[in-house]
Coordinates of all heavy atoms in Angstrom, one line a residue:
M1 N -13.7 -3.3 -11.6 CA -14.4 -4.2 -10.9 C -13.7 -4.7 -9.6 O -12.5 -5.0 -9.8 CB -14.7 -5.4 -11.9 CG -15.8 -6.4 -11.3 SD -16.3 -7.6 -12.5 CE -15.4 -9.0 -12.1
K2 N -14.3 -4.7 -8.6 CA -13.8 -5.2 -7.4 C -13.5 -6.7 -7.4 O -14.3 -7.4 -7.9 CB -14.7 -4.9 -6.1 CG -14.7 -3.5 -5.7 CD -15.4 -3.4 -4.4 CE -15.3 -2.0 -3.9 NZ -16.2 -1.8 -2.7
P3 N -12.3 -7.2 -6.9 CA -12.2 -8.6 -6.9 C -13.0 -9.3 -5.9 O -13.3 -8.9 -4.9 CB -10.6 -8.7 -6.6 CG -10.4 -7.4 -5.8 CD -11.2 -6.4 -6.5
A4 N -13.4 -10.5 -6.2 CA -14.2 -11.4 -5.3 C -13.2 -12.2 -4.5 O -12.1 -12.6 -4.8 CB -15.1 -12.3 -6.0
I5 N -13.7 -12.6 -3.2 CA -12.9 -13.5 -2.3 C -12.6 -14.8 -3.0 O -11.4 -15.3 -2.6 CB -13.5 -13.6 -1.0 CG1 -12.5 -14.0 0.2 CG2 -14.8 -14.5 -1.0 CD1 -13.1 -13.8 1.5
I6 N -13.4 -15.3 -3.8 CA -12.9 -16.5 -4.5 C -11.8 -16.3 -5.6 O -11.4 -17.3 -6.1 CB -14.2 -17.3 -5.1 CG1 -14.9 -16.5 -6.2 CG2 -15.1 -17.8 -3.9 CD1 -16.0 -17.3 -6.7
D7 N -11.5 -15.2 -5.9 CA -10.4 -14.9 -6.8 C -9.1 -15.1 -6.2 O -8.1 -15.1 -6.9 CB -10.5 -13.4 -7.4 CG -11.7 -13.2 -8.2 OD1 -12.3 -14.1 -8.9 OD2 -12.2 -12.0 -8.3
I8 N -9.0 -15.2 -4.9 CA -7.7 -15.5 -4.3 C -7.4 -16.9 -4.4 O -8.2 -17.7 -4.1 CB -8.0 -15.1 -2.7 CG1 -8.4 -13.6 -2.7 CG2 -6.7 -15.4 -1.9 CD1 -8.8 -13.2 -1.2
T9 N -6.1 -17.1 -4.6 CA -5.6 -18.5 -4.7 C -5.7 -19.2 -3.4 O -5.3 -18.7 -2.4 CB -4.0 -18.5 -5.1 OG1 -3.9 -17.7 -6.4 CG2 -3.5 -19.8 -5.3
G10 N -6.4 -20.4 -3.3 CA -6.5 -21.0 -2.2 C -7.9 -21.0 -1.6 O -8.2 -21.4 -0.4
I11 N -8.7 -20.0 -2.2 CA -10.1 -19.8 -1.6 C -11.1 -20.3 -2.6 O -11.2 -19.7 -3.7 CB -10.3 -18.4 -1.2 CG1 -9.3 -17.8 -0.2 CG2 -11.7 -18.2 -0.7 CD1 -9.4 -18.4 1.1
G12 N -11.8 -21.3 -2.3 CA -12.9 -21.8 -3.2 C -14.2 -21.4 -2.6 O -14.3 -20.7 -1.5
P13 N -15.3 -21.9 -3.0 CA -16.7 -21.6 -2.6 C -16.9 -22.0 -1.1 O -17.5 -21.2 -0.3 CB -17.6 -22.3 -3.6 CG -16.8 -22.5 -4.8 CD -15.4 -22.7 -4.4
A14 N -16.4 -23.2 -0.8 CA -16.5 -23.7 0.6 C -15.7 -22.8 1.6 O -16.2 -22.5 2.7 CB -16.2 -25.1 0.8
A15 N -14.5 -22.6 1.3 CA -13.7 -21.7 2.1 C -14.2 -20.3 2.3 O -14.2 -19.7 3.3 CB -12.2 -21.6 1.6
A16 N -14.8 -19.8 1.1 CA -15.3 -18.4 1.3 C -16.5 -18.3 2.0 O -16.8 -17.4 2.8 CB -15.8 -18.0 -0.3
A17 N -17.4 -19.4 2.0 CA -18.5 -19.5 3.0 C -18.1 -19.5 4.3 O -18.7 -18.9 5.2 CB -19.4 -20.7 2.5
A18 N -17.1 -20.4 4.6 CA -16.6 -20.6 6.0 C -16.1 -19.1 6.5 O -16.3 -18.8 7.7 CB -15.5 -21.5 6.2
L19 N -15.3 -18.5 5.7 CA -14.8 -17.1 6.1 C -15.9 -16.1 6.3 O -15.9 -15.4 7.2 CB -13.8 -16.7 5.0 CG -12.5 -17.3 4.9 CD1 -11.8 -16.9 3.6 CD2 -11.7 -16.9 6.1
G20 N -16.9 -16.2 5.5 CA -18.1 -15.3 5.6 C -18.8 -15.5 6.9 O -19.3 -14.6 7.5
E21 N -18.9 -16.8 7.3 CA -19.5 -17.1 8.6 C -18.9 -16.4 9.8 O -19.3 -16.3 10.9 CB -19.7 -18.6 8.8 CG -20.7 -19.3 7.9 CD -20.7 -20.8 7.9 OE1 -20.0 -21.3 8.8 OE2 -21.4 -21.3 7.0
H22 N -17.6 -16.2 9.6 CA -16.8 -15.6 10.6 C -16.5 -14.0 10.3 O -15.7 -13.4 10.9 CB -15.4 -16.3 10.8 CG -15.5 -17.5 11.4 ND1 -16.0 -18.8 10.7 CD2 -15.4 -17.9 12.7 CE1 -16.0 -19.7 11.6 NE2 -15.6 -19.3 12.9
G23 N -17.3 -13.5 9.5 CA -17.3 -12.1 9.3 C -16.3 -11.6 8.3 O -16.1 -10.4 8.1
I24 N -15.7 -12.5 7.5 CA -14.7 -12.1 6.5 C -15.3 -12.4 5.2 O -15.1 -13.6 4.7 CB -13.4 -12.8 6.8 CG1 -12.8 -12.6 8.1 CG2 -12.3 -12.5 5.7 CD1 -11.7 -13.5 8.6
S25 N -15.9 -11.5 4.6 CA -16.7 -11.8 3.3 C -16.2 -11.0 2.1 O -16.8 -11.2 1.0 CB -18.1 -11.5 3.5 OG -18.4 -10.2 3.9
S26 N -15.1 -10.2 2.2 CA -14.6 -9.6 1.1 C -13.1 -9.7 1.1 O -12.5 -10.0 2.1 CB -15.0 -8.1 1.2 OG -14.3 -7.5 2.2
V27 N -12.5 -9.3 -0.1 CA -11.0 -9.4 -0.2 C -10.4 -8.3 0.7 O -9.4 -8.7 1.4 CB -10.6 -9.2 -1.7 CG1 -9.1 -9.0 -1.9 CG2 -11.2 -10.2 -2.6
K28 N -11.1 -7.2 0.9 CA -10.5 -6.2 1.8 C -10.5 -6.6 3.2 O -9.6 -6.5 3.9 CB -11.3 -4.9 1.6 CG -10.8 -3.7 2.4 CD -11.7 -2.5 2.2 CE -11.1 -1.4 3.0 NZ -11.9 -0.1 2.7
A29 N -11.6 -7.3 3.6 CA -11.7 -7.8 5.0 C -10.7 -8.9 5.3 O -10.1 -8.9 6.4 CB -13.1 -8.4 5.2
L30 N -10.4 -9.7 4.3 CA -9.3 -10.7 4.5 C -8.0 -10.0 4.5 O -7.2 -10.5 5.3 CB -9.4 -11.7 3.4 CG -8.5 -12.9 3.4 CD1 -8.6 -13.7 4.8 CD2 -8.7 -13.9 2.2
A31 N -7.7 -9.1 3.6 CA -6.4 -8.4 3.7 C -6.2 -7.6 5.0 O -5.0 -7.7 5.4 CB -6.4 -7.6 2.5
E32 N -7.2 -7.2 5.7 CA -7.1 -6.4 6.9 C -7.1 -7.4 8.0 O -6.8 -7.0 9.2 CB -8.2 -5.4 7.0 CG -8.0 -4.4 5.9 CD -9.2 -3.4 5.8 OE1 -10.2 -3.8 6.5 OE2 -9.1 -2.4 5.1
A33 N -7.5 -8.7 7.9 CA -7.6 -9.6 9.1 C -6.1 -10.1 9.6 O -5.2 -10.0 8.7 CB -8.3 -10.8 8.6
N34 N -6.1 -10.4 10.7 CA -4.8 -11.0 11.1 C -4.9 -12.5 11.2 O -5.9 -13.2 11.0 CB -4.4 -10.5 12.5 CG -5.5 -10.8 13.7 OD1 -5.8 -12.0 13.8 ND2 -5.8 -9.8 14.4
V35 N -3.7 -13.1 11.4 CA -3.6 -14.6 11.2 C -4.5 -15.3 12.3 O -5.1 -16.3 12.0 CB -2.1 -15.0 11.4 CG1 -2.0 -16.6 11.4 CG2 -1.3 -14.5 10.4
A36 N -4.5 -14.7 13.6 CA -5.5 -15.4 14.6 C -6.9 -15.4 14.1 O -7.5 -16.4 14.3 CB -5.2 -14.6 15.9
Q37 N -7.4 -14.3 13.5 CA -8.8 -14.3 13.1 C -9.1 -15.4 12.0 O -10.0 -16.0 12.1 CB -9.1 -12.8 12.5 CG -9.2 -11.7 13.6 CD -9.3 -10.4 13.0 OE1 -8.6 -10.1 12.0 NE2 -10.2 -9.5 13.5
V38 N -8.2 -15.3 11.1 CA -8.4 -16.3 10.0 C -8.2 -17.8 10.4 O -9.0 -18.7 9.9 CB -7.5 -15.9 8.7 CG1 -7.7 -16.9 7.6 CG2 -7.8 -14.5 8.2
S39 N -7.2 -17.9 11.2 CA -7.0 -19.3 11.7 C -7.9 -19.9 12.7 O -8.2 -21.1 12.8 CB -5.6 -19.5 12.3 OG -5.4 -18.6 13.5
A40 N -8.9 -19.1 13.1 CA -10.0 -19.4 13.9 C -11.2 -20.0 13.0 O -12.0 -20.7 13.5 CB -10.6 -18.3 14.7
V41 N -11.0 -19.9 11.8 CA -11.9 -20.3 10.9 C -11.7 -21.8 10.5 O -10.5 -22.1 10.2 CB -12.0 -19.5 9.5 CG1 -13.0 -20.2 8.4 CG2 -12.4 -18.0 9.8
P42 N -12.7 -22.8 10.7 CA -12.4 -24.1 10.4 C -11.8 -24.4 8.9 O -12.2 -23.8 8.0 CB -13.8 -24.8 10.5 CG -14.6 -23.9 11.3 CD -14.0 -22.5 11.0
G43 N -10.8 -25.1 8.9 CA -10.0 -25.3 7.7 C -8.9 -24.5 7.4 O -8.1 -24.7 6.4
F44 N -8.6 -23.6 8.3 CA -7.6 -22.6 8.1 C -6.5 -22.8 9.3 O -6.7 -22.5 10.4 CB -8.0 -21.2 8.0 CG -8.6 -20.8 6.8 CD1 -10.0 -21.1 6.5 CD2 -8.0 -20.2 5.6 CE1 -10.6 -20.7 5.3 CE2 -8.5 -20.0 4.5 CZ -9.9 -20.2 4.3
S45 N -5.2 -23.2 8.8 CA -4.1 -23.3 9.7 C -3.5 -22.0 9.8 O -3.8 -21.0 8.9 CB -3.1 -24.3 9.3 OG -2.6 -23.9 8.1
A46 N -2.6 -21.6 10.7 CA -1.9 -20.5 10.7 C -1.2 -20.2 9.4 O -1.1 -19.0 8.9 CB -0.9 -20.4 11.8
A47 N -0.5 -21.4 8.9 CA 0.3 -21.1 7.6 C -0.7 -20.8 6.4 O -0.4 -19.8 5.7 CB 1.0 -22.6 7.2
R48 N -1.9 -21.4 6.4 CA -2.8 -21.1 5.2 C -3.3 -19.8 5.5 O -3.5 -18.9 4.5 CB -3.9 -22.0 5.3 CG -4.9 -21.9 4.1 CD -6.0 -23.0 4.1 NE -6.9 -22.7 2.8 CZ -8.1 -23.3 2.8 NH1 -8.6 -24.1 3.7 NH2 -8.7 -22.9 1.7
A49 N -3.7 -19.4 6.7 CA -4.1 -17.9 7.0 C -3.1 -17.0 6.5 O -3.5 -15.9 5.8 CB -4.4 -17.8 8.5
E50 N -1.8 -17.2 6.8 CA -0.9 -16.2 6.3 C -0.8 -16.1 4.8 O -0.6 -15.0 4.3 CB 0.6 -16.7 6.8 CG 0.9 -16.4 8.3 CD 2.3 -16.8 8.7 OE1 3.2 -16.7 7.8 OE2 2.4 -17.3 9.8
K51 N -0.9 -17.2 4.1 CA -0.8 -17.2 2.7 C -2.0 -16.4 2.1 O -1.8 -15.8 1.1 CB -0.8 -18.7 2.1 CG 0.5 -19.3 2.4 CD 0.5 -20.8 1.9 CE 1.9 -21.4 2.1 NZ 1.8 -22.9 1.7
V52 N -3.3 -16.7 2.5 CA -4.4 -16.1 2.0 C -4.5 -14.6 2.3 O -5.0 -13.8 1.5 CB -5.7 -16.8 2.3 CG1 -5.8 -18.3 1.8 CG2 -6.0 -16.9 3.7
I53 N -4.1 -14.2 3.5 CA -4.1 -12.8 3.9 C -3.1 -12.1 3.0 O -3.3 -11.0 2.4 CB -3.6 -12.6 5.3 CG1 -4.7 -13.1 6.2 CG2 -3.3 -11.2 5.6 CD1 -4.5 -13.3 7.8
A54 N -1.9 -12.7 2.7 CA -0.9 -12.0 1.8 C -1.4 -11.9 0.3 O -1.3 -11.1 -0.3 CB 0.4 -12.9 1.8
A55 N -2.0 -13.2 -0.1 CA -2.6 -13.0 -1.4 C -3.9 -12.1 -1.5 O -3.9 -11.4 -2.6 CB -3.2 -14.6 -1.8
A56 N -4.6 -11.9 -0.5 CA -5.7 -11.0 -0.6 C -5.0 -9.5 -0.6 O -5.5 -8.7 -1.5 CB -6.6 -11.0 0.7
A57 N -4.1 -9.2 0.1 CA -3.5 -8.0 0.0 C -2.9 -7.7 -1.4 O -2.9 -6.6 -1.8 CB -2.3 -7.8 1.2
E58 N -2.2 -8.7 -1.9 CA -1.6 -8.4 -3.2 C -2.7 -8.2 -4.3 O -2.5 -7.5 -5.2 CB -0.8 -9.8 -3.6 CG 0.0 -9.6 -4.9 CD 0.8 -10.9 -5.2 OE1 1.2 -11.6 -4.2 OE2 1.2 -11.1 -6.4
L59 N -3.9 -9.0 -4.1 CA -4.9 -8.9 -5.1 C -5.4 -7.4 -4.9 O -5.8 -6.8 -6.0 CB -6.0 -9.9 -4.9 CG -7.2 -10.0 -5.8 CD1 -6.8 -10.0 -7.2 CD2 -8.2 -10.9 -5.4
L60 N -5.5 -6.9 -3.8 CA -6.0 -5.5 -3.6 C -5.0 -4.6 -4.3 O -5.5 -3.5 -4.9 CB -6.2 -5.2 -2.2 CG -7.6 -5.7 -1.5 CD1 -7.6 -5.1 0.0 CD2 -8.7 -5.2 -2.3
A61 N -3.8 -4.7 -4.0 CA -2.8 -3.9 -4.6 C -2.7 -3.8 -6.0 O -2.7 -2.7 -6.7 CB -1.3 -4.2 -4.1
T62 N -2.9 -5.0 -6.7 CA -3.0 -5.0 -8.2 C -4.3 -4.5 -8.8 O -4.3 -4.2 -9.8 CB -2.8 -6.4 -8.7 OG1 -3.7 -7.3 -8.3 CG2 -1.4 -6.8 -8.4
S63 N -5.4 -4.4 -8.0 CA -6.7 -4.0 -8.3 C -6.8 -2.4 -8.2 O -7.8 -1.9 -8.6 CB -7.8 -4.7 -7.7 OG -7.8 -4.4 -6.4
G64 N -5.9 -1.9 -7.4 CA -5.8 -0.4 -7.3 C -6.5 -0.1 -5.9 O -6.5 1.2 -5.4
E65 N -6.9 -1.0 -5.1 CA -7.4 -0.8 -3.7 C -6.4 -1.1 -2.7 O -6.1 -2.3 -2.5 CB -8.7 -1.5 -3.5 CG -9.9 -1.1 -4.3 CD -11.1 -1.8 -3.8 OE1 -11.3 -2.0 -2.6 OE2 -12.0 -2.1 -4.8
E66 N -5.8 -0.1 -2.1 CA -4.7 -0.4 -1.1 C -5.2 -0.1 0.3 O -6.1 0.7 0.5 CB -3.6 0.5 -1.3 CG -2.9 0.3 -2.7 CD -1.6 1.1 -2.9 OE1 -1.0 1.6 -2.0 OE2 -1.3 1.3 -4.1
T67 N -4.6 -0.9 1.3 CA -5.0 -0.7 2.6 C -3.8 -0.5 3.4 O -2.7 -0.7 3.1 CB -5.7 -1.9 3.1 OG1 -4.9 -3.0 3.1 CG2 -7.0 -2.3 2.5
T68 N -4.0 0.3 4.6 CA -2.8 0.5 5.4 C -2.9 -0.5 6.6 O -3.9 -1.3 6.6 CB -3.0 1.9 6.1 OG1 -4.1 1.9 6.8 CG2 -2.9 2.9 5.0
T69 N -1.9 -0.5 7.5 CA -2.0 -1.3 8.6 C -3.1 -1.1 9.6 O -3.5 -1.9 10.4 CB -0.7 -1.3 9.3 OG1 -0.4 0.0 9.7 CG2 0.5 -2.0 8.5
S70 N -3.7 0.2 9.5 CA -4.8 0.4 10.3 C -6.1 0.0 9.7 O -7.1 0.0 10.3 CB -4.9 2.1 10.4 OG -5.3 2.6 9.2
G71 N -6.0 -0.6 8.6 CA -7.2 -1.0 7.8 C -7.9 0.0 7.1 O -9.1 -0.4 6.5
K72 N -7.6 1.1 7.1 CA -8.3 2.2 6.3 C -7.7 2.3 4.8 O -6.4 2.2 4.9 CB -8.2 3.6 7.1 CG -9.0 3.5 8.4 CD -8.7 4.8 9.1 CE -9.5 4.8 10.5 NZ -9.4 6.1 11.1
P73 N -8.5 2.7 3.9 CA -7.9 2.9 2.6 C -6.8 4.0 2.6 O -6.9 5.0 3.3 CB -9.0 3.3 1.7 CG -10.2 2.7 2.5 CD -10.0 2.8 3.9
E74 N -5.8 3.7 1.8 CA -4.6 4.8 1.8 C -5.2 5.9 0.8 O -5.6 5.7 -0.3 CB -3.5 4.1 1.3 CG -2.2 4.7 1.7 CD -1.0 3.8 1.4 OE1 -0.6 4.0 0.2 OE2 -0.5 3.0 2.2
K75 N -5.0 7.1 1.3 CA -5.3 8.3 0.4 C -4.0 8.7 -0.3 O -3.0 8.8 0.3 CB -5.8 9.4 1.2 CG -7.2 9.1 1.8 CD -7.8 10.4 2.6 CE -9.1 10.0 3.1 NZ -9.6 11.1 3.8
K76 N -4.1 9.0 -1.5 CA -2.9 9.4 -2.3 C -2.8 10.9 -2.1 O -3.7 11.7 -2.3 CB -3.0 9.0 -3.8 CG -3.0 7.5 -4.0 CD -3.0 7.2 -5.4 CE -2.9 5.7 -5.6 NZ -2.9 5.3 -6.9
K77 N -1.6 11.4 -1.7 CA -1.4 12.8 -1.5 C -0.9 13.4 -2.7 O -0.1 12.9 -3.5 CB -0.4 13.0 -0.4 CG -0.7 12.5 0.9 CD 0.4 12.7 2.0 CE -0.2 12.2 3.3 NZ 0.9 12.4 4.4
K78 N -1.4 14.7 -3.0 CA -1.1 15.4 -4.1 C 0.2 16.3 -3.8 O 0.3 16.8 -2.7 CB -2.2 16.4 -4.7 CG -3.3 15.6 -5.2 CD -4.5 16.5 -5.6 CE -5.7 15.7 -6.1 NZ -6.7 16.7 -6.6
D79 N 1.0 16.4 -4.7 CA 2.2 17.3 -4.6 C 1.7 18.7 -4.7 O 1.4 19.2 -5.7 CB 3.3 16.8 -5.6 CG 4.6 17.8 -5.4 OD1 4.7 18.4 -4.3 OD2 5.4 17.6 -6.3
K80 N 1.8 19.5 -3.5 CA 1.3 20.9 -3.5 C 2.3 21.7 -4.2 O 2.0 22.9 -4.7 CB 1.0 21.4 -2.2 CG -0.1 20.6 -1.4 CD -0.3 21.1 -0.1 CE -1.4 20.3 0.6 NZ -1.7 20.8 1.9
K81 N 3.6 21.3 -4.4 CA 4.5 22.2 -5.1 C 4.4 22.2 -6.6 O 5.1 22.9 -7.2 CB 5.9 21.7 -4.6 CG 6.2 21.9 -3.1 CD 7.5 21.6 -2.8 CE 7.8 21.7 -1.4 NZ 9.1 21.2 -1.0
G82 N 3.7 21.2 -7.0 CA 3.5 21.1 -8.5 C 4.7 20.6 -9.2 O 5.4 19.5 -8.7
K83 N 5.2 21.0 -10.3 CA 6.2 20.6 -11.0 C 7.6 20.9 -10.3 O 8.6 20.4 -10.8 CB 6.3 21.0 -12.4 CG 5.1 20.4 -13.3 CD 5.1 20.8 -14.7 CE 3.9 20.2 -15.4 NZ 3.9 20.6 -16.8
K84 N 7.7 21.9 -9.5 CA 8.9 22.4 -8.9 C 9.6 21.4 -8.0 O 10.9 21.4 -8.1 CB 8.6 23.7 -8.1 CG 8.1 24.8 -8.9 CD 7.9 26.0 -7.9 CE 7.2 27.1 -8.6 NZ 6.7 28.1 -7.8
G85 N 8.8 20.6 -7.4 CA 9.4 19.6 -6.5 C 10.4 20.1 -5.4 O 9.9 21.1 -4.7
K86 N 11.6 19.7 -5.4 CA 12.5 20.3 -4.3 C 13.2 21.6 -4.8 O 14.1 22.1 -4.1 CB 13.5 19.2 -3.9 CG 12.8 18.1 -3.2 CD 13.9 17.1 -2.7 CE 13.1 15.8 -2.1 NZ 14.2 14.9 -1.6
K87 N 13.0 21.9 -5.9 CA 13.7 23.2 -6.5 C 13.0 24.4 -6.0 O 11.8 24.4 -5.7 CB 13.8 23.1 -8.0 CG 14.6 21.9 -8.5 CD 14.6 21.9 -10.0 CE 15.4 20.7 -10.4 NZ 15.6 20.6 -11.8
G88 N 13.8 25.5 -6.1 CA 13.3 26.9 -5.7 C 12.5 27.5 -6.7 O 12.1 26.8 -7.8
K89 N 12.0 28.7 -6.6 CA 11.3 29.3 -7.6 C 11.9 29.4 -8.9 O 11.1 29.4 -10.0 CB 10.9 30.8 -7.1 CG 9.9 30.7 -5.9 CD 9.6 32.1 -5.4 CE 8.8 32.0 -4.2 NZ 8.4 33.4 -3.7
K90 N 13.2 29.7 -9.0 CA 13.8 29.9 -10.3 C 14.4 28.7 -10.9 O 15.1 28.6 -11.9 CB 15.0 30.9 -10.2 CG 14.5 32.3 -9.8 CD 15.6 33.2 -9.8 CE 15.1 34.6 -9.3 NZ 16.2 35.6 -9.1
G91 N 14.1 27.5 -10.3 CA 14.4 26.2 -11.0 C 15.8 25.8 -10.4 O 16.3 24.8 -10.8
K92 N 16.4 26.6 -9.5 CA 17.7 26.2 -9.0 C 17.6 25.4 -7.6 O 16.6 25.6 -6.9 CB 18.5 27.5 -8.6 CG 19.0 28.2 -9.9 CD 19.7 29.4 -9.6 CE 20.1 30.2 -10.8 NZ 21.0 31.3 -10.5
K93 N 18.5 24.5 -7.5 CA 18.5 23.7 -6.2 C 18.8 24.6 -5.0 O 19.6 25.5 -5.1 CB 19.3 22.5 -6.2 CG 19.0 21.5 -7.1 CD 19.9 20.3 -7.1 CE 19.4 19.2 -8.1 NZ 20.3 18.1 -8.0
K94 N 18.0 24.4 -4.0 CA 18.4 25.2 -2.7 C 19.7 24.7 -2.2 O 19.9 23.6 -2.1 CB 17.2 25.2 -1.7 CG 15.9 25.8 -2.2 CD 14.8 25.7 -1.2 CE 13.6 26.2 -1.6 NZ 12.4 26.1 -0.6
G95 N 20.3 25.7 -1.6 CA 21.7 25.2 -1.0 C 22.4 26.5 -0.7 O 22.1 27.7 -1.0
K96 N 23.5 26.3 0.0 CA 24.4 27.5 0.3 C 25.2 27.9 -0.9 O 25.7 27.0 -1.6 CB 25.4 27.1 1.5 CG 24.6 26.8 2.8 CD 25.6 26.5 3.9 CE 24.7 26.3 5.1 NZ 25.7 26.0 6.2
K97 N 25.4 29.2 -1.0 CA 26.2 29.7 -2.2 C 27.7 29.7 -1.8 O 28.1 29.8 -0.6 CB 25.7 31.1 -2.5 CG 24.3 31.2 -3.1 CD 23.9 32.5 -3.5 CE 22.4 32.5 -3.9 NZ 22.0 33.9 -4.3
G98 N 28.5 29.6 -2.8 CA 30.0 29.8 -2.6 C 30.7 28.5 -2.2 O 31.8 28.5 -1.7
K99 N 29.9 27.4 -2.2 CA 30.7 26.2 -1.5 C 31.3 25.4 -2.7 O 32.2 24.5 -2.4 CB 29.6 25.3 -0.9 CG 29.1 25.7 0.4 CD 30.1 25.6 1.4 CE 29.7 26.1 2.8 NZ 30.6 26.0 3.8
G100 N 31.1 25.7 -3.9 CA 31.6 25.0 -5.1 C 33.1 25.5 -5.4 O 33.5 26.5 -4.8
K101 N 33.8 24.9 -6.3 CA 35.1 25.4 -6.6 C 35.0 26.5 -7.6 O 34.2 26.5 -8.5 CB 35.8 24.3 -7.3 CG 36.2 23.1 -6.5 CD 37.0 22.0 -7.3 CE 37.3 20.9 -6.3 NZ 38.0 19.9 -7.0
N102 N 35.8 27.6 -7.4 CA 35.7 28.7 -8.3 C 37.0 28.8 -9.1 O 38.1 29.0 -8.5 CB 35.6 29.9 -7.4 CG 35.3 31.2 -8.2 OD1 35.4 31.2 -9.4 ND2 34.8 32.3 -7.6
K103 N 36.9 28.6 -10.4 CA 38.1 28.6 -11.2 C 38.8 29.9 -11.4 O 39.9 30.0 -11.7 CB 37.7 27.9 -12.5 CG 37.4 26.5 -12.6 CD 36.9 26.0 -13.8 CE 36.5 24.5 -13.7 NZ 36.1 24.1 -15.0
N104 N 38.0 30.9 -11.1 CA 38.5 32.3 -11.3 C 39.3 32.9 -10.0 O 39.8 33.9 -10.1 CB 37.5 33.3 -11.7 CG 36.8 32.9 -13.0 OD1 37.5 32.4 -13.8 ND2 35.5 33.2 -13.2
K105 N 39.3 32.1 -9.0 CA 39.9 32.6 -7.8 C 41.5 32.4 -8.0 O 41.9 31.5 -8.7 CB 39.6 31.7 -6.6 CG 38.5 32.3 -5.7 CD 38.4 31.6 -4.5 CE 37.5 32.3 -3.5 NZ 37.3 31.6 -2.3
K106 N 42.2 33.4 -7.3 CA 43.7 33.3 -7.5 C 44.3 32.9 -6.3 O 44.0 33.1 -5.1 CB 44.3 34.8 -7.9 CG 43.8 35.1 -9.2 CD 44.5 36.4 -9.5 CE 44.0 36.9 -10.9 NZ 44.6 38.1 -11.4

């Protein structure tokens, strides 16, 4: 379930209505807003704006909806290498051969 804007600490029904009148009607919109946009809403100082923006971003992160600084949802990238990760085809780490200590050398 998507979180509601009134789920944010410091946002009640009156504050949610005021934010909505300024085009900020969702948690995502608030998380993506900047301090200047939110502090333009009556009843929101710069300090309160910072707090509610941070709280909105945290609420989104805990609900599974992440945003980037560009305001677009973050896409999770799949590892194309599968289980191999940084290892080569035979499961050995890639690197130069012969650099380790050789106990059999005379």
Side-chain angles (χ1 to χ4, degrees):
M1 187 167 102
K2 285 187 175 183
I5 199 162
I6 59 172
D7 293 334
I8 299 168
T9 303
I11 304 290
L19 287 166
E21 290 173 7
H22 285 81
I24 303 169
S25 58
S26 69
V27 176
K28 184 177 179 181
L30 182 56
E32 294 171 351
N34 61 45
V35 174
Q37 290 170 313
V38 178
S39 61
V41 177
F44 285 87
S45 65
R48 183 178 182 196
E50 284 181 34
K51 288 179 184 178
V52 297
I53 290 169
E58 186 177 336
L59 184 58
L60 279 182
T62 58
S63 70
E65 290 186 38
E66 296 182 27
T67 59
T68 62
T69 54
S70 67
K72 295 180 181 177
E74 210 173 81
K75 292 182 180 178
K76 294 184 180 180
K77 295 181 181 178
K78 292 182 181 179
D79 184 10
K80 292 181 181 180
K81 294 181 182 178
K83 294 182 181 179
K84 293 178 192 173
K86 293 183 179 180
K87 296 181 180 182
K89 291 181 182 179
K90 294 183 181 179
K92 294 182 181 179
K93 290 185 180 179
K94 291 181 180 179
K96 295 183 179 180
K97 294 182 181 179
K99 289 287 182 180
K101 293 182 181 178
N102 191 344
K103 294 181 181 178
N104 295 332
K105 260 188 175 178
K106 293 184 181 179

